[in-house]
């Protein structure tokens, strides 16, 4: 059993030719031998070996078995059915069939066959003159004699692979007449031609690799193909329509990546169009809307569905189906009776659709077949026309599972999308020749939700030069995405960056994804792998935008109500936000020896722009000031607080070694030189006073006590910064200007300069004294223009 059918035929034919001297004699058809066995009361009990539980379907469809007069006992592997009680119940059902002469079909009852060895071996006993036959049925150490009706017949259905692998005990195997049954046994030459034609067509999906067909066409095996041919032939269809119908049925269970690759291998365009335009492989509500009216293969009405999916078993299916739908999970049932009771409740309810969610990671293939049989049994006893049953089978990428083909059950491959998934458009739109991604990032694509859920990952890629509080950054970005106005402006700036990134994207990228089996396996499905590629582009572009947005901690300004509107206005301006994307995610900070926290929105852009106009702006102030305001109209009519914030950012970005307290002097210095009426005037005054400001910094580095006194006086009295500086340093310069060779002069200098002289070495050489005086004149007195104020004679 289980060998090659062709090898068996050749061997028998050779035997007949050599021994019986006959030729061209056909082997008796398997179905005829099974019929003869069933009708012969003296024949042995029958074991039928098949693949994928197809034997029962063949026996019923060929009229060999009448289910109304046959008891089918399907072994249960529900967790709580693995006990002696379940065994006793099954034996009781078998004893009833033995007594009343019914045919009993036994499936998956490995724990029971040992108790039935006498019955299966037809080891019967007759007492006295009685015509009744008895046999012994054992349960453990106990046994009982049971009546055996002359018409009783036992048929055991086993998987042929179990025989090949030696999983059927020889004592059990030897008790039966054994037959190997498959759909090919029912096919004639025309049927085989149809089957070969369809197989050739299927090779376009696997590039000639037949081993991949079970991963390309979910829920498919050799027996299902043959069963399709026979089922469509029974409908009276000619061979050409059978071929068309099979292709349609096969497309329904094809994976999208296989169709994409087949298109690249020049699959007939009409079948690609049929898959992409006339079939639904992701949207359950849309699928449910069409199946009631759809006729598969233009002839087969849709009754029940088997949906094969790589979607997560954790998804909530109830919201995706019509309201009158019952959704149950097979792994939640612990007993066969419990499952039967729940199915009975559905059949007696007003609900129209039953969805049975099956996770192969938590249940067995045997249990799926058992559940399907129980549902079919209920359907055969009641009016099932108004009821629809949907199996949702969750597969891993390498899982191979099939139900026997049945025209009452249509198989569909579907990447189920839920409200939690990104709404990636259908594959057809990805194959368009558009250069942008308007067809990808359409209105239904929930980009905002994606950014809210994933910006933390994007933030983790940013490299800050200085320490920052990550919690604060998360809060800032979250508020940016939650604020409707801010999000609208963000999208205005993000979309051009996305388009720029997409222009560099590889052509037919969706084909590359279809070829990447590893990525599809990791993501769970082709559509999720596509979504991952889209998200990479989005995350990259958003990361580049954040990198530029948060230069000098610019995002902090958005959180402050005082400058929020100005911040949004500036961000909305294309000239403000027009950076080139690159692969560097280092966030720039323009601080000098310390982090710079900007106070004016996007000051780095404005400052760099105006600094670039320095030469022409000095020559023609009016002309280029107008040019600046035309480019940045929001810089006009800024109030004093905004001007002060801009001045602070300008001094920080000039890389002068300022600390916060020195800005008081800088502010006073510039205000004494101009009215600070505009940012252009601030720049002009700053350029004019820049060297003097650097000299002041050098001076205060030498005399820190003088700095503190100046700051105190400036804050206490409305006196100019120059007067304060002069009052503090006049005694120092008066003494320095009187330096001579005498030791008493050096002592007098030490008295006045205090901290300065303590930090310098002892001046023992005249040239050192002269050098000090020269340095002070060149770096402090002359740049500060102190000579004209009468300090230096």
């Amino acid at each position: 059993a289980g060998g090659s059918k062709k090898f068996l035929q050749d061997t028998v034919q050779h035997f007949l030719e050599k021994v019986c001297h006959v030729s061209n004699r056909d082997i008796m058809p398997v179905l005829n031998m099974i019929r003869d066995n069933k009708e012969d009361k003296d024949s042995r009990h029958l074991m039928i070996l098949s693949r994928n539980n197809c034997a029962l379907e063949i026996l019923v469809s060929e009229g060999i078995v009448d289910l109304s007069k046959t008891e089918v006992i399907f072994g249960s592997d529900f967790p709580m059915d693995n006990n002696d009680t379940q065994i006793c119940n099954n034996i009781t059902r078998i004893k009833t069939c033995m007594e009343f002469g019914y045919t009993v079909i036994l499936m998956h009852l490995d724990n029971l066959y040992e108790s039935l060895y006498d019955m299966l071996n037809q080891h019967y006993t007759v007492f006295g003159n009685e015509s009744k036959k008895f046999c012994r049925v054992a349960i453990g150490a106990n046994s009982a004699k049971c009546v055996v009706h002359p018409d009783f017949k036992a048929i055991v259905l086993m998987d042929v692979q179990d025989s090949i692998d030696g999983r059927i005990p020889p004592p059990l195997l030897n008790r039966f007449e054994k037959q190997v049954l498959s759909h090919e046994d029912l096919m004639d030459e025309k049927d085989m031609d149809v089957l070969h034609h369809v197989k050739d067509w299927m090779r376009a999906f696997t590039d000639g690799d037949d081993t991949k067909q079970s991963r390309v066409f979910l829920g498919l095996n050799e027996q299902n193909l043959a069963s399709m041919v026979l089922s469509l032939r029974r409908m009276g269809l000619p061979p050409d329509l059978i071929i068309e119908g099979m292709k349609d049925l096969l497309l329904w269970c094809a994976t999208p990546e296989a169709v994409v690759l087949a298109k690249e291998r020049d699959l007939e365009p009409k079948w690609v169009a049929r898959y992409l335009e006339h079939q639904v492989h992701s949207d359950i509500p849309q699928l449910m809307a069409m199946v009631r009216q759809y006729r598969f293969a233009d002839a087969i009405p849709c009754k029940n569905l088997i949906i094969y999916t790589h979607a997560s078993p954790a998804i909530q299916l109830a919201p995706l189906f019509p309201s009158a739908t019952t959704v149950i999970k097979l792994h939640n049932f612990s007993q066969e009776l419990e499952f039967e009771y729940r199915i009975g409740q559905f059949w007696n309810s007003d609900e129209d659709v039953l969805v049975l969610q099956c996770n192969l990671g938590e249940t067995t293939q045997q249990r799926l077949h058992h559940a399907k049989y129980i549902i079919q049994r209920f359907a055969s006893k009641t009016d099932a026309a108004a009821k629809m049953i949907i199996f949702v089978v969750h597969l891993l990428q390498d899982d191979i599972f099939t139900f026997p083909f049945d025209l009452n059950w249509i198989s569909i491959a579907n990447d189920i999308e839920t409200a939690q998934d990104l709404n990636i458009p259908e594959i057809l739109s990805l194959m368009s020749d558009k250069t942008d991604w308007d067809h990808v990032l359409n209105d239904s694509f929930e980009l905002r939700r994606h950014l809210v859920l994933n910006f933390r990952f994007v933030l983790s890629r940013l490299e800050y030069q200085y320490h920052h509080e990550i919690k604060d950054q998360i809060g800032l970005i979250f508020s940016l995405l939650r604020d409707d106005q801010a999000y609208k402006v963000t999208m205005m700036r993000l979309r051009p960056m996305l388009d720029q990134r997409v222009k560099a994207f590889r052509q037919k990228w969706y084909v590359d994804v279809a070829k990447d089996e590893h990525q599809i396996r990791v993501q769970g499905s082709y559509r999720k792998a596509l979504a991952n590629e889209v998200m990479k582009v989005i995350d990259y572009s958003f990361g580049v935008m954040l990198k530029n947005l948060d230069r000098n901690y610019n995002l902090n300004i958005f959180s402050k109500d005082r400058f929020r509107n100005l911040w949004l206005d500036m961000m909305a301006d294309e000239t403000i936000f027009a950076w080139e994307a690159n692969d560097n995610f280092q966030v720039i900070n323009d601080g000098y020896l310390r982090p710079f926290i900007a106070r004016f929105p996007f000051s780095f852009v404005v400052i760099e722009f105006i600094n670039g106009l320095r030469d022409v702006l000095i020559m023609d102030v009016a002309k280029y000031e107008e040019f600046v305001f035309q480019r940045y109209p929001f810089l006009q009519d800024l109030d004093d607080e905004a001007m002060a914030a801009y001045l602070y950012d300008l001094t920080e970005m000039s890389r002068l070694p300022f600390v916060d307290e020195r800005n008081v002097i800088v502010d006073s210095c510039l205000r004494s030189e101009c009215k600070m009426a505009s940012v252009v005037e601030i720049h002009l005054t700053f350029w004019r006073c820049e060297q003097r400001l650097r000299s002041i910094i050098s001076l205060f580095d030498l005399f820190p006590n003088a700095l503190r006194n100046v700051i105190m006086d400036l804050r206490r009295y409305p006196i100019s910064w120059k007067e304060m500086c002069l009052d503090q340093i006049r005694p120092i310069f008066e003494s320095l200007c009187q330096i001579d060779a005498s030791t008493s002069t050096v002592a007098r200098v030490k008295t006045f300069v205090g901290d300065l002289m303590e930090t310098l070495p002892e001046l023992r050489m005249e040239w050192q004294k002269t050098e000090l005086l020269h340095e002070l004149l060149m770096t402090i007195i002359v740049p500060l223009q102190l000579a004209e104020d009468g300090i230096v004679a």
Side-chain angles (χ1 to χ4, degrees):
S4 168
K5 180 179 178 181
K6 184 177 185 306
F7 178 76
L8 175 63
Q9 291 174 335
D10 292 343
T11 302
V12 172
Q13 186 64 39
H14 181 75
F15 174 81
L16 293 173
E17 290 176 354
K18 297 299 183 182
V19 177
C20 302
H21 305 289
V22 296
S23 60
N24 298 322
R25 180 170 178 175
D26 293 330
I27 301 175
M28 184 178 183
V30 174
L31 285 179
N32 290 351
M33 290 189 285
I34 293 175
R35 282 193 181 94
D36 289 348
N37 175 278
K38 187 172 181 301
E39 293 170 1
D40 187 352
K41 297 181 180 181
D42 296 325
S43 64
R44 303 181 72 181
H45 294 300
L46 183 63
M47 175 181 285
I48 299 178
L49 301 166
S50 64
R51 295 185 185 275
N52 196 39
N53 292 319
C54 70
L56 181 60
E57 184 263 328
I58 295 176
L59 294 177
V60 174
S61 62
E62 294 299 317
I64 298 175
V65 168
D66 183 356
L67 288 179
S68 64
K69 300 177 181 179
T70 304
E71 181 75 11
V72 179
I73 303 178
F74 202 113
S76 172
D77 75 336
F78 284 91
M80 294 184 65
D81 284 343
N82 187 21
N83 52 49
D84 292 340
T85 302
Q86 185 70 17
I87 294 175
C88 291
N89 290 337
N90 289 333
I91 288 180
T92 300
R93 294 170 65 186
I94 295 172
K95 289 169 61 178
T96 301
C97 295
M98 293 166 59
E99 183 176 357
F100 292 98
Y102 299 146
T103 298
V104 62
I105 296 178
L106 308 178
M107 303 172 64
H108 303 290
L109 290 168
D110 297 345
N111 60 352
L112 187 66
Y113 296 132
E114 188 174 349
S115 301
L116 303 175
Y117 270 4
D118 279 358
M119 181 272 287
L120 297 176
N121 202 38
Q122 295 180 320
H123 188 188
Y124 301 146
T125 303
V126 177
F127 291 96
N129 296 325
E130 295 183 14
S131 59
K132 292 185 178 180
K133 298 178 181 179
F134 297 84
C135 76
R136 185 178 66 89
V137 175
I139 304 177
N142 302 315
S143 63
K145 286 185 172 59
C146 305
V147 177
V148 181
H149 194 282
D151 294 336
F152 170 72
K153 177 68 70 174
I155 302 175
V156 175
L157 305 184
M158 303 287 283
D159 194 293
V160 69
Q161 194 63 40
D162 291 339
S163 174
I164 296 172
D165 297 340
R167 289 193 290 267
I168 303 178
L172 175 64
L173 196 63
N174 294 333
R175 280 167 166 75
F176 297 93
E177 175 184 328
K178 297 169 286 295
Q179 299 292 344
V180 178
L181 181 62
S182 68
H183 286 97
E184 284 86 346
D185 296 317
L186 285 65
M187 299 176 68
D188 58 23
E189 190 172 335
K190 290 183 179 180
D191 295 333
M192 295 302 296
D193 289 341
V194 169
L195 183 60
H196 291 317
H197 181 94
V198 173
K199 284 184 176 180
D200 291 339
W201 179 81
M202 290 170 62
R203 289 190 178 93
F205 286 85
T206 59
D207 200 18
D209 188 353
D210 292 344
T211 62
K212 293 182 178 179
Q213 287 187 359
S214 60
R215 296 199 300 270
V216 169
F217 300 97
L218 303 183
L220 180 75
N221 62 16
E222 286 283 337
Q223 291 301 307
N224 284 356
L225 283 176
S227 180
M228 282 185 194
V229 176
L230 296 172
S231 297
L232 295 177
R233 188 191 67 183
R234 293 189 193 107
M235 296 177 62
L237 299 178
D240 57 337
L241 290 184
I242 292 176
I243 292 173
E244 295 291 301
M246 289 183 67
K247 290 180 179 179
D248 185 40
L249 291 168
L250 289 170
L251 277 177
W252 271 104
C253 58
T255 59
E257 61 269 27
V259 175
V260 170
L261 294 178
K263 179 179 182 295
E264 292 300 303
R265 291 191 286 268
D266 298 325
L267 178 71
E268 298 169 76
K270 76 170 186 175
W271 293 112
V272 176
R274 189 172 185 88
Y275 183 92
L276 298 175
E277 299 176 20
H278 301 289
Q279 296 185 358
V280 180
H281 293 273
S282 62
D283 192 320
I284 290 294
Q286 186 179 353
L287 175 65
M288 293 302 296
M290 69 172 293
V291 291
R292 292 293 191 181
Q293 294 78 31
Y294 189 84
R295 300 184 72 82
F296 293 88
D298 297 326
I300 309 167
C302 176
K303 296 181 180 178
N304 304 303
L305 299 179
I306 301 172
I307 298 176
Y308 295 99
T309 182
H310 292 116
S312 168
I315 64 174
Q316 298 297 319
L317 294 180
L320 305 179
F321 288 92
S323 56
T325 300
T326 297
V327 179
I328 58 177
K329 296 184 178 182
L330 183 58
H331 64 267
N332 287 342
F333 295 93
S334 57
Q335 289 182 299
E336 177 184 2
L337 290 176
E338 180 187 5
F339 181 74
E340 288 181 341
Y341 177 76
R342 186 65 185 87
I343 299 301
Q345 281 185 320
F346 164 74
W347 232 265
N348 295 323
S349 70
D350 295 331
E351 294 179 326
D352 300 327
V353 180
L354 172 67
V355 177
L356 182 61
Q357 199 169 354
C358 309
N359 176 14
L360 287 181
E362 298 187 66
T363 189
T364 63
Q365 296 191 16
Q366 176 183 331
R367 198 176 307 167
L368 265 69
H369 287 290
H370 191 187
K372 183 169 179 280
Y373 170 72
I374 291 172
I375 292 173
Q376 287 178 312
R377 194 176 68 209
F378 270 92
S380 65
K381 296 177 180 179
T382 59
D383 180 14
K387 302 284 188 179
M388 171 178 277
I389 310 298
I390 301 175
F391 273 76
V392 178
V393 182
H394 295 274
L395 303 170
L396 296 177
Q397 281 297 324
D398 294 327
D399 280 343
I400 298 176
F401 173 77
T402 61
F403 281 116
F405 178 78
D406 184 344
L407 283 178
N408 292 318
W409 297 81
I410 303 300
S411 298
I412 296 176
N414 193 290
D415 291 334
I416 299 173
E417 286 188 346
T418 68
Q420 288 74 40
D421 294 323
L422 288 174
N423 190 5
I424 299 297
E426 289 297 331
I427 311 302
L428 179 64
S429 63
L430 298 179
M431 296 181 179
S432 67
D433 297 325
K434 296 181 181 180
T435 56
D436 57 30
W437 272 18
D438 287 339
H439 58 298
V440 176
L441 302 178
N442 50 41
D443 293 337
S444 63
F445 186 93
E446 298 183 18
L447 179 57
R448 186 175 192 173
R449 182 169 61 85
H450 166 72
L451 293 176
V452 169
L453 293 175
N454 292 277
F455 75 83
R456 293 168 181 80
F457 167 74
V458 177
L459 183 59
S460 68
R461 300 181 65 183
L462 302 184
E463 302 174 13
Y464 285 84
Q465 293 177 252
Y466 299 99
H467 172 74
H468 68 291
E469 289 294 335
I470 188 67
K471 290 183 179 179
D472 295 339
Q473 297 301 104
I474 290 175
L476 288 170
I477 299 173
F478 188 76
S479 62
L480 182 71
L481 297 174
R482 283 294 191 185
D483 185 282
D484 291 338
Q485 184 182 1
Y487 176 75
K488 181 179 180 180
V489 173
T490 300
M491 289 301 99
M492 289 173 57
R493 301 281 65 81
L494 182 61
R495 288 303 292 267
M497 299 182 72
L498 284 173
D499 290 339
Q500 179 182 345
R501 180 65 175 173
V502 170
K503 286 178 182 178
F505 213 62
R506 58 190 182 276
Q507 292 293 321
K508 294 190 175 181
W509 60 277
Y510 53 87
V511 177
D512 294 338
V513 176
K515 294 178 180 178
D516 193 344
E517 294 182 6
H518 174 73
Q519 184 177 357
I520 294 174
R521 185 176 290 106
V522 170
Q523 297 298 327
S525 70
Y526 177 58
R527 289 177 62 80
K528 289 187 181 299
L530 289 175
N532 185 59
E533 287 295 306
V534 174
M535 288 187 288
K536 284 181 182 178
V537 175
I538 295 170
D539 292 344
Y540 172 87
S541 301
F542 191 56
V544 171
M545 189 179 76
L546 285 181
K547 176 192 74 171
N548 290 285
L549 268 183
D550 211 19
R551 178 174 173 178
N552 300 332
Y553 300 100
N554 182 64
L555 271 174
N556 291 345
I557 303 173
F558 171 74
S559 64
K560 299 174 182 177
D561 294 337
R562 173 63 183 82
F563 291 121
R564 175 171 294 190
N565 291 334
L566 178 60
W567 192 95
L568 292 173
D569 290 342
M570 296 182 72
M571 182 174 173
D573 192 286
E574 293 183 1
T575 59
I576 286 288
F577 208 98
W579 297 294
E580 293 292 328
N582 55 57
D583 293 330
N584 178 13
F585 284 91
Q586 185 173 7
V587 183
I588 298 174
N589 191 281
D590 296 302
Y592 180 69
L593 303 178
R594 66 186 184 123
F596 165 37
I597 301 177
R599 298 181 181 178
F600 188 87
F602 299 97
S603 57
F604 53 92
V605 177
V606 179
I607 290 171
E608 288 178 349
F609 174 73
I610 297 179
N611 282 342
L613 299 176
R614 179 169 181 168
D615 294 339
V616 295
L617 192 58
I618 293 174
M619 291 187 297
D620 193 341
V621 176
K623 176 181 177 181
Y624 285 98
E625 183 176 38
E626 183 180 357
F627 172 70
V628 170
F629 290 142
Q630 285 179 349
R631 185 178 180 91
Y632 302 129
F634 37 74
L635 295 179
Q636 300 184 73
D637 303 323
L638 297 177
D639 58 24
D640 288 344
E641 186 177 354
M643 287 294 189
Y646 185 85
L647 173 59
Y648 173 85
D649 290 0
L650 175 61
T651 55
E652 287 284 346
M653 289 193 63
S654 299
R655 302 189 69 81
L656 297 177
F658 282 113
V659 293
D660 288 341
E661 57 187 5
R662 292 176 180 174
N663 280 285
V664 178
I665 296 177
V666 175
D667 184 81
S668 179
C669 171
L670 297 182
R671 285 181 182 276
S672 68
E673 298 290 335
C674 73
K675 297 180 180 179
M676 297 184 66
S678 70
V679 294
V680 173
E681 188 176 355
I682 290 177
H683 273 268
L684 291 170
T685 306
F686 184 84
W687 294 335
R688 188 167 59 250
C689 300
E690 185 174 6
Q691 185 57 44
R692 189 182 304 174
L693 294 173
R694 293 185 184 275
S695 299
I696 291 174
I697 293 170
S698 300
L699 177 64
F700 287 140
D701 283 340
L702 294 174
F703 309 113
N705 290 332
L707 171 63
R708 286 193 291 272
N709 293 333
V710 169
I711 298 299
M712 290 177 61
D713 289 337
L714 278 174
R715 290 174 175 170
R716 198 178 307 167
Y717 308 108
I719 305 175
S720 72
W721 67 275
K722 187 182 294 186
E723 293 175 355
M724 291 297 99
C725 293
L726 295 180
D727 287 345
Q728 294 296 325
I729 65 176
R730 182 177 286 109
I732 300 172
F733 281 103
E734 287 177 352
S735 298
L736 290 176
C737 291
Q738 299 174 9
I739 290 179
D740 56 24
S742 65
T743 305
S744 60
T745 301
V746 175
R748 201 163 60 247
V749 170
K750 286 185 177 182
T751 301
F752 283 103
V753 300
D755 294 339
L756 173 64
M757 290 293 96
E758 291 178 5
T759 61
L760 295 176
E762 190 77 7
L763 299 180
R764 300 182 183 277
M765 302 288 294
E766 180 64 29
W767 66 270
Q768 289 178 319
K769 303 168 191 174
T770 305
E771 187 179 66
L772 173 60
L773 179 58
H774 178 267
E775 186 69 21
L776 290 172
L777 286 170
M778 297 303 296
T779 62
I780 298 177
I781 297 173
V782 173
L784 286 176
Q785 303 174 359
L786 296 175
E788 67 184 25
D789 292 311
I791 295 180
V792 181

